[in-house]
Amino acid sequence: MKRILITGKNSYVGKSLEKWLKNYPDGYSIDFISLREDLWREKDFSKYDVVFHVAGIAHVSSDPKMEDMYYKVNRDLTIDTAEKAKAEGVKQFIFMSSIIVYGDSSSAKRVIDKNIVPTPSNFYGNSKLQAEEGIKQLDSEIFKVVIIRPPMIYGKGSKGNYPKLAKIAQKLPVFPNIDNERSMLHICNLSEFIRLIIDNEERGLFFPQNREYVNTSEMVKVIAEVHGRNIKLTNLFNPILKMLGLKVGIINKVFGNLVYDKKMSIYKEDYQIVNFRESIKATELESGK
């Protein structure tokens, strides 16, 4: 049985992983710990095989007053946790980084491959990248460091742009028809990927994503269909959106292009167990229960 400690008691990814691993009751033992206070430094990590580190500031802020906090939480706390884990005999440390280390999406097609060097465009992305650099130095045969750079994660209970788009899909009769591509990752596919990474005692840098790229307009249309609605896609707003996209960050976040080369996301075992349409159906119908 793998003994796993998840940092971040209220983490969406952490709680989702716990739920997923309950499908294997004899395989995993899971505990959570909050890193908000310094009491965590007194906890004994030696009884765990894996520390899954998801504690951190998840949202992107442009407020310069937040910059120090991002580095303190996303970088320094990550390195401190990894150092404690290694010192106390933990075998594997898994860190949830982000595709954000490569900067923002763009109006033109943008494909990230293994030759692309990370260039964060904000202190959220930079804090994640610096955390990566800090924990890489701790990697060894007896302390395996895993860094995961997922694209946008979505699923039942997720936060961010997906639930906003889901609400729009249930209300508006029309939606802009924009030709874009995004890498996305359903929470079930991510959870299965993490399970395999733990089982196989991996180390290194990984880029999991759904099997399919996602077009934002088509996604909204599929969400509407799941709810029995027919939303029409129109090109009427395209000129305005293209003009605003250069000035309004949220437009670029929703309709911009940012994908991983699919070859980067291939793993020796299949973790992409839910296709895109099935993932939307599960997310929307389950969340309505």
Side-chain angles (χ1 to χ4, degrees):
M1 176 175 285
K2 294 283 187 179
R3 300 160 299 175
I4 305 167
L5 178 64
I6 300 176
T7 67
K9 283 192 173 183
N10 298 315
S11 161
Y12 170 67
V13 172
K15 288 293 185 183
S16 299
L17 178 64
E18 179 191 36
K19 181 180 178 182
W20 186 259
L21 294 183
K22 283 182 179 178
N23 294 315
Y24 308 88
D26 298 326
Y28 312 93
S29 170
I30 299 174
D31 288 333
F32 284 83
I33 187 172
S34 172
L35 304 186
R36 289 185 179 274
E37 306 292 339
D38 276 348
L39 289 175
W40 69 271
R41 298 179 188 275
E42 300 174 13
K43 184 174 178 65
D44 181 11
F45 280 19
S46 66
K47 60 183 178 181
Y48 299 104
D49 301 299
V50 180
V51 169
F52 181 42
H53 184 67
V54 285
I57 304 174
H59 63 278
V60 178
S61 172
S62 58
D63 184 353
K65 295 179 181 177
M66 288 288 293
E67 183 168 3
D68 288 345
M69 183 60 68
Y70 272 84
Y71 288 108
K72 181 179 179 181
V73 174
N74 287 352
R75 179 192 62 194
D76 299 344
L77 193 58
T78 297
I79 296 171
D80 287 351
T81 307
E83 288 177 342
K84 176 176 171 63
K86 182 174 184 177
E88 297 185 13
V90 175
K91 298 173 184 176
Q92 187 183 46
F93 185 86
I94 304 174
F95 173 54
M96 287 293 291
S97 186
S98 170
I99 195 173
I100 200 73
V101 301
Y102 293 102
D104 296 326
S105 53
S106 68
S107 56
K109 185 171 182 178
R110 186 175 179 214
V111 181
I112 297 169
D113 60 31
K114 290 192 175 182
N115 296 317
I116 300 294
V117 177
T119 52
S121 59
N122 52 53
F123 41 77
Y124 171 65
N126 199 38
S127 66
K128 286 287 191 180
L129 185 60
Q130 289 189 21
E132 289 184 18
E133 295 301 322
I135 64 175
K136 278 181 188 176
Q137 300 175 36
L138 303 173
D139 180 72
S140 70
E141 287 297 329
I142 61 172
F143 185 71
K144 297 179 178 180
V145 173
V146 172
I147 296 169
I148 300 175
R149 291 179 183 164
M152 187 180 103
I153 299 166
Y154 68 103
K156 179 182 177 181
S158 63
K159 299 178 182 179
N161 288 327
Y162 178 89
K164 296 174 185 176
L165 289 170
K167 287 182 180 180
I168 289 173
Q170 297 176 60
K171 294 180 180 179
L172 295 184
V174 296
F175 191 79
N177 185 23
I178 301 292
D179 183 20
N180 75 322
E181 283 186 331
R182 303 297 297 246
S183 286
M184 292 177 62
L185 182 59
H186 186 258
I187 191 63
C188 288
N189 291 338
L190 173 59
S191 296
E192 176 63 5
F193 181 77
I194 294 167
R195 185 184 75 82
L196 294 173
I197 289 294
I198 291 171
D199 281 3
N200 295 328
E201 299 180 358
E202 296 283 8
R203 65 200 289 195
L205 181 60
F206 298 91
F207 312 86
Q209 64 177 327
N210 286 352
R211 201 179 303 277
E212 311 98 325
Y213 293 148
V214 177
N215 171 274
T216 303
S217 301
E218 287 298 325
M219 181 178 72
V220 169
K221 188 173 179 62
V222 171
I223 294 172
E225 289 173 357
V226 166
H227 289 281
R229 300 186 71 250
N230 181 24
I231 193 169
K232 292 185 178 180
L233 302 181
T234 176
N235 296 324
L236 184 63
F237 307 108
N238 290 23
I240 298 173
L241 288 172
K242 287 181 180 179
M243 180 179 67
L244 289 177
L246 299 174
K247 303 175 182 178
V248 182
I250 187 65
I251 301 296
N252 195 38
K253 282 183 180 180
V254 173
F255 294 108
N257 293 269
L258 186 63
V259 299
Y260 281 130
D261 183 332
K262 290 184 178 180
K263 294 191 292 290
M264 293 174 67
S265 302
I266 296 172
Y267 188 61
K268 59 190 176 186
E269 295 184 62
D270 184 22
Y271 66 90
Q272 297 163 322
I273 54 177
V274 181
N275 68 37
F276 177 68
R277 186 169 286 270
E278 290 170 347
S279 76
I280 296 296
K281 187 180 294 186
T283 299
E284 293 305 306
L285 298 185
E286 287 181 23
S287 62
K289 291 181 180 179

